[in-house]
Amino acid sequence: MRHSLRRPPTTAPGPATSPGPAVGPADGPAVDPALMRQVMGSFCTGVAVVTATGDDGEPAGMAVQSFASLSLDPPLVCFAPARTSTSWPRIRAAGRFAVNILAEDQTALSRSFAVSGGDKFAGVAWHPGGNGAPLLDGALATVECAVESELPGGDHTIAVGRVTALHRPREAGPLLYFRRTYGVYGAHAA
C-alpha cells in the first residue's frame, strides 16, 4: 500500500507571515521547572554511559539520556552533561571518550553511573577501546569519540564528539527511560 502526504486545501495566496519574535524567559512567563521536567519526561529516550580514562589513569563515567547523532559528514554525536557534573570535567580533559549504549538488561549499570561520586566502576566489566576509553562489556553498541567542541546550554553543557570508531557487539533491545522509569522496547519485552 502506498501512502502519501495530503495538504489541506489552501486559499488564495496572501502576504508571507512569520511566527513572530522568539519568546525567551525575559519576554514571557516563567516556566515551572517541575512541570518542565514532567512534560519532558514524556519523551522516551535511550540510556547511555559516557566513559573516559582520566589523566590519572583512572576510569570516569556518567549516565546520560541526552545522547544523539548530530551529523554524518563529519561524523558527530552530542550529549548534554549537567554543569554540576564532576565526571564531565575529567572526561573533557581526557580529550577522548566512549558512549556505551545500554541494552535492556543493563538497568543496574545505568543506576550505578547515574549517582554522583563513588567508584562507579566497582564490579563493572570493561575493556579499553582503541582510544583508551572504557568500553562496557555487554553494551548494545559503543561509539568512540574525540572531544570536538563544547557549547553553553543553560544549566547543562552541550558536548560534541567526533566519531573515531563504532562497535556493535551484540543484538538485544535497548534500555529506555520514560517518566522517570526504566523500560524496554515492546518488540523485546518479556
Side-chain angles (χ1 to χ4, degrees), residues 3-189:
H3 297 277
S4 63
L5 295 175
R6 291 185 56 206
R7 293 185 181 181
T10 58
T11 56
T17 61
S18 68
V23 177
D27 301 317
V31 174
D32 175 33
L35 180 59
M36 183 165 176
R37 188 175 293 114
Q38 183 182 29
V39 168
M40 297 311 293
S42 297
F43 182 65
C44 185
T45 64
V47 183
V49 172
V50 178
T51 57
T53 300
D55 292 337
D56 57 3
E58 294 297 315
M62 63 182 172
V64 299
Q65 295 169 247
S66 56
F67 173 67
S69 174
L70 182 61
S71 169
L72 290 176
D73 186 18
L76 301 173
V77 296
C78 64
F79 64 97
R83 289 196 180 274
T84 57
S85 171
T86 57
S87 298
W88 170 239
R90 294 185 64 213
I91 294 168
R92 178 182 53 226
R96 55 199 180 284
F97 61 89
V99 180
N100 299 270
I101 300 169
L102 299 188
E104 61 194 355
D105 58 357
Q106 293 183 304
T107 301
L109 191 60
S110 174
R111 286 192 171 118
S112 298
F113 282 91
V115 298
S116 182
D119 182 2
K120 298 177 184 180
F121 284 84
V124 174
W126 62 275
H127 59 280
N131 68 2
L135 304 185
L136 304 180
D137 292 354
L140 188 61
T142 55
V143 182
E144 293 185 54
C145 301
V147 174
E148 178 80 5
S149 62
E150 184 176 0
L151 306 163
D155 59 3
H156 283 64
T157 292
I158 301 165
V160 178
R162 181 178 288 262
V163 176
T164 58
L166 299 163
H167 312 278
R168 203 172 79 182
R170 74 171 177 143
E171 288 296 324
L175 180 61
L176 302 176
Y177 197 73
F178 176 70
R179 294 187 177 164
R180 304 182 74 160
T181 303
Y182 289 98
V184 299
Y185 179 60
H188 292 274

